[in-house]
Amino acid sequence: MTIKRHDVVILGSGPAGGVVAGMCQKAGLDVVVVEEDGWGGVCPLRGCEPKKVLVDATHAVSRIRDMEGHGPVGSVSIDWQNLMQFKRALIDPIPDAVLQSLEKRGIKTVSGHASFVGEGQVEVSGYGILEGKHVVIATGARTRPLNVSGEELLLASRQFLELDTMPKSILFIGGGFISFEFACVAAAAGADVTIVHRSSRVLKGFDHDLSLSLIEGMKELGIKVFIDRPVLGVEKTDSGIVVTSRNDDGEKEYFTAELGVIGVGRIPNVDRLNLDAAGVTVSKRGVVVNDFMQSVSNPRVFAAGDCAEPGTPLTPLAVLQATTVARNIIDELLTKSDLRGAASVVFTHPPLMSVGMLEEEARKQGLDVIIHSGDAAKWSEHKRLGLKHAGYKIIEDRSSGRIVGAHYLGQHAEEVANIFGMAIRHGLTRENLMDHPWAYPSFGYTLRYMFS
Ligand SMILES: Cc1cc2nc3c(=O)[nH]c(=O)nc-3n(C[C@H](O)[C@H](O)[C@H](O)COP(=O)(O)OP(=O)(O)OC[C@H]3O[C@@H](n4cnc5c(N)ncnc54)[C@H](O)[C@@H]3O)c2cc1C
Ligand SMILES: NC(=O)c1ccc[n+]([C@@H]2O[C@H](COP(=O)([O-])OP(=O)(O)OC[C@H]3O[C@@H](n4cnc5c(N)ncnc54)[C@H](O)[C@@H]3O)[C@@H](O)[C@H]2O)c1
């Protein structure tokens, strides 16, 4: 079998693979990308983008409902078929556009499943063998299985994003990003929604008090949230599914719905890569890498994004890590991965964000901190919108005044997260933020309320 040699062989065309490809090609390297599913990866095809289409439409409806009695009259609702038609019109052309964009820039593309056959060699099904001076693993992640009987009756996030009709009732298993975001979408679209979560703490990584406040708000949207309910099994019924769980008292409890969706995390796509052939070490969280995003056991191999061990599986982190990989391939190991200031946002109604340390992390590290926290529902910004559940918790290092953590539930949380993320990454202090001439009225200006 002939072997085709390139400077860089990239497995996966998602945000991570795409960034490495673009930067390396620009630097004059000969690059090939292998993709086994849709060109562009999860974020634009089965994750952030289609999700946000549904979120934007359904939240618009929720926002109008919140403002009842503030001027708007008449009821609004979601035409699911129409929304899905719109989503498809936006998303379906993406794979072809990504493929054309890569090829136009002189990046070679190969469709098929890649797996290692040597230290720097991968075989692509139906194509042949590619050898790279460097091989970049950017294969992403997939839905974590629940490992209970009947789980094949549940849909994964990918299928939820393709639903032709919104069922009358829907049950989400897991208390993370996917369940919370999709629950708000489904409730605004008219479904009867339940979330069943195995432990007492939902939305791990977010501030607990703000998560509880979010749950209160979601209850008002009609969403039922059950905590401490591990799922024991799923069965089919005439009208859908029944999920068996166990409550605090050890008694069996049953939840019925027309449809069930699983959201219990994602696992890295590293198990079908034959990594032994390349001597690449992996853990449960993905490819084990050093600070340069280089495999600790095979220096020819780099990894970035959801399939790499460090960080949370989020697009900006995949992009940041991919940038590190590309710089290190081009300049030979100069750049370390620096994820400071990377925010997480869950696009619920309203959204919740977290950046930097949680209060408990700061205390565990023995930092002397000032906690600025309060109810943001009383701000005029939220009163105007009719939003009843909102809040913030900002963590300031007492001696330097620097912001080390910021958590906020409320309108435009994603943009407030960006401001605090920049403050944390660049070591800004409370005084710097208070001195800034924020536009008024704006949610940037609300930083002044948080510190006063
Ligand atoms: C429902 C959902 C919503 C999300 N919403 C957000 C959000 O709002 N914000 C956010 O920051 N993140 C969000 N994410 C996470 C985000 O999509 C991922 O973090 C991001 O896509 C990771 O990029 P990546 O390049 O590492 O992997 P991916 O995007 O997963 O791309 C990997 C690619 O590799 C391909 N591949 C895998 N194995 C092989 C192989 N052996 N050979 C060839 N190709 C292979 C796959 O087909 C895939 O196209 C969401 C995820 C989901 C599931
Ligand atoms: N807005 C965003 O940025 C966004 C949105 C959606 C997804 N994502 C990404 O996709 C990932 C996957 O989302 P997710 O909601 O599936 O995961 P998640 O990690 O956010 O939440 C999974 C939840 O399931 C629970 N869980 C794990 N194993 C379980 C089991 N066996 N039984 C019952 N519960 C179990 C966990 O305790 C956790 O609360 C996220 O971690 C995130 O990185 C991001």
Side-chain angles (χ1 to χ4, degrees), residues 265-283:
R266 292 177 66 77
I267 52 170
N269 285 325
V270 291
D271 48 336
R272 294 188 308 126
L273 295 179
N274 194 26
L275 290 172
D276 285 348
V280 172
T281 307
V282 284
S283 74

Side-chain angles (χ1 to χ4, degrees), residues 51 146 175-178 181 197-198 263-266 313-314 345 347:
K51 181 271 304 283
L146 190 55
F177 282 88
I178 286 177
E181 288 181 346
H197 179 55
R198 67 169 171 186
V264 296
R266 292 177 66 77
L314 296 173
V345 182
F347 292 93

